[in-house]
Amino acid sequence: MPTGQTIAVKRIYAPPDDGDGARFLVDRLWPRGVSKEKADLTAWLKALAPSDALRDQFHHAAAQSDAAWQAFRDAYFTALDAGGDEVAAALAEIDAAAKKGPVTLLFAAKDEAHNNAVALREWLERR
């Protein structure tokens, strides 16, 4: 990420805003009840979403516990670090957008503090 650039995180159900900049959906599944037009996405970056197994494990654990949240983040960061061509391409897309202006990561989860977009933002800001 360009130095000093911040990444916003927002539920996809919130209306788009001019300040969102490039809007990237980072969930593996398309959110219920949201049309592609209403979503107003720059791109849907499924490659940056946690695997189905990791997502299910987190949701079936006590997702509100600090230990479950930490375990999810650790496993998710390990998967992101392992990367691959699809992950690299998705990261390049976010980096290119960040050079032009704001970036917003979109998610569908109800929990706004403990979700993959929040974890992904943390990982992106650390690299």
Side-chain angles (χ1 to χ4, degrees), residues 19-50:
D20 289 346
R23 293 168 48 90
F24 296 102
L25 177 62
V26 293
D27 285 348
R28 188 164 300 279
L29 304 174
W30 187 262
R32 291 182 183 175
V34 178
S35 69
K36 298 210 178 187
E37 295 78 29
K38 184 179 174 185
D40 191 27
L41 296 181
T42 302
W44 181 11
L45 303 178
K46 292 184 214 179
L48 296 180

Side-chain angles (χ1 to χ4, degrees), residues 28 45-50 76-95 120 123-124 127:
R28 188 164 300 279
L45 303 178
K46 292 184 214 179
L48 296 180
Y76 185 35
F77 294 169
T78 298
L80 289 167
D81 288 339
D85 291 342
E86 289 182 1
V87 169
L91 292 173
E93 197 164 347
I94 288 177
D95 289 342
L120 177 58
W123 184 84
L124 288 168
R127 65 180 181 114

